[in-house]
Amino acid sequence: MELGLNGRTAAITGGSKGIGRAIARGFAAEGVNLVLLARGKEQLERAAEEIAKARGVQVLPVVADIANTESLRAAAAAAKDRFGAIHIVINNAGGPMRRMDRQITWPDADWTDDVNLKMIGMLRATQAFLPLMPRDGTGRIVNVSGVASTLVFGTALTHGLNNAAMNQVTNYLANDLAGDKITVNAVIPGLVGTEGRQAWAENMSKQTGKTQAEFLADFCRRMGIIAGRWATMEEVASTVVFLASDCGQYINGSQLVIDGGMSINPRPA
């Protein structure tokens, strides 16, 4: 399938590791140049060097904080100087669970900090890069949220708040930018085997006296994932790349769930 992405440029927040780096690799395989944003300089530069060397595309690593408007404006200016146009914006950055206590007991600052990072950070990044996006039908914005938007994961209240808000804002932005021929979609991953989750599974398997495969099979069964496993980062990345391609140009305002059937909420007979 010809995706028509060769020679375009994508900006990816949270691009130094995990799903963000997998998305960057997926785009690079299609000949897309990259602007990778993250807060950690060393890991960011390693990711940029590895992808550029493997695929021969141009990769600009920019240390940036999506919780800071001026930081993102500076990142957009650097991207403009290097590439001119940014065809694709991937809003992927977000924080881990702050801690595991009841979030209703948190002070205001902890709630607002979480929302400021992911939800408002997505708006900041979109606003910063929007002036660089062409109005010729190649503009794509993809927001990476998560199934905590509709499912309840114990103490993940602010994760749910962020993801649900991101999905709703996707609809508003799709409507707002339709006249500029820029599509806006959300992908909603379920549980994904990121580096952090793989390390957690390895540790838990040792604690329970099971192999990692046995532990994950039991865990996925308890979580109601009918696929029997969690997603790979590459599976999420492939979906994002498709939405950003010419093949996805008629998909707008969608919320595409990638969760192995977890959200159908199965119950035993």
Side-chain angles (χ1 to χ4, degrees):
M1 182 182 295
E2 176 55 53
L3 297 181
L5 287 167
N6 187 58
R8 295 180 189 170
T9 303
I12 304 171
T13 66
S16 65
K17 60 183 179 180
I19 293 173
R21 183 173 59 185
I23 292 170
R25 288 170 172 165
F27 277 128
E30 298 296 329
V32 177
N33 297 315
L34 300 167
V35 181
L36 300 184
L37 283 68
R39 288 180 290 187
K41 185 175 186 291
E42 290 185 10
Q43 193 166 37
L44 177 64
E45 291 182 344
R46 282 198 303 270
E49 182 179 3
E50 176 260 313
I51 293 169
K53 184 177 180 180
R55 294 296 181 178
V57 297
Q58 297 184 60
V59 184
L60 175 65
V62 182
V63 176
D65 182 357
I66 64 168
N68 184 289
T69 299
E70 291 306 316
S71 177
L72 284 169
R73 287 176 178 169
K80 182 179 180 180
D81 289 345
R82 178 73 171 269
F83 297 111
I86 297 294
H87 303 84
I88 303 158
V89 175
I90 308 299
N91 289 304
N92 166 74
M97 287 283 291
R98 185 181 294 267
R99 56 185 182 274
M100 298 301 292
D101 58 328
R102 295 173 63 213
Q103 293 192 17
I104 192 58
T105 67
W106 287 7
D108 286 12
D110 287 355
W111 294 332
T112 55
D113 282 352
D114 277 5
V115 175
N116 185 47
L117 178 63
K118 184 164 186 176
M119 178 59 234
I120 307 301
M122 179 268 278
L123 291 175
R124 289 189 192 97
T126 300
Q127 184 184 73
F129 284 101
L130 190 58
L132 307 184
M133 300 186 73
R135 270 61 174 173
D136 61 359
T138 62
R140 304 281 188 273
I141 298 171
V142 182
N143 300 319
V144 181
S145 66
V147 292
S149 58
T150 55
L151 303 181
V152 176
F153 290 108
T155 58
L157 187 154
T158 54
H159 272 55
L161 175 59
N162 272 314
N163 291 330
M166 181 177 280
N167 293 344
Q168 183 69 351
V169 168
T170 293
N171 297 335
Y172 279 90
L173 291 178
N175 180 64
D176 184 84
L177 299 175
D180 292 328
K181 298 183 179 180
I182 297 172
T183 67
V184 188
N185 295 288
V187 296
I188 307 175
L191 297 179
V192 183
T194 59
E195 299 95 336
R197 281 210 177 100
Q198 292 287 359
W200 170 79
E202 181 178 359
N203 182 55
M204 290 300 296
S205 66
K206 292 177 181 177
Q207 290 185 31
T208 56
K210 300 177 181 179
T211 68
Q212 187 166 331
E214 289 170 339
F215 170 77
L216 283 176
D218 290 345
F219 174 74
C220 290
R221 192 178 303 112
R222 293 197 309 272
M223 297 299 289
I225 303 173
I226 62 175
R229 62 175 179 85
W230 54 26
T232 67
M233 293 181 283
E234 290 72 25
E235 286 171 324
V236 178
S238 294
T239 304
V240 173
V241 170
F242 178 82
L243 287 173
S245 75
D246 286 350
C247 296
Q249 61 186 327
Y250 198 62
I251 304 172
N252 199 13
S254 73
Q255 299 176 17
L256 186 55
V257 180
I258 315 166
D259 70 354
M262 183 180 187
S263 57
I264 68 173
N265 195 23
R267 288 290 185 269

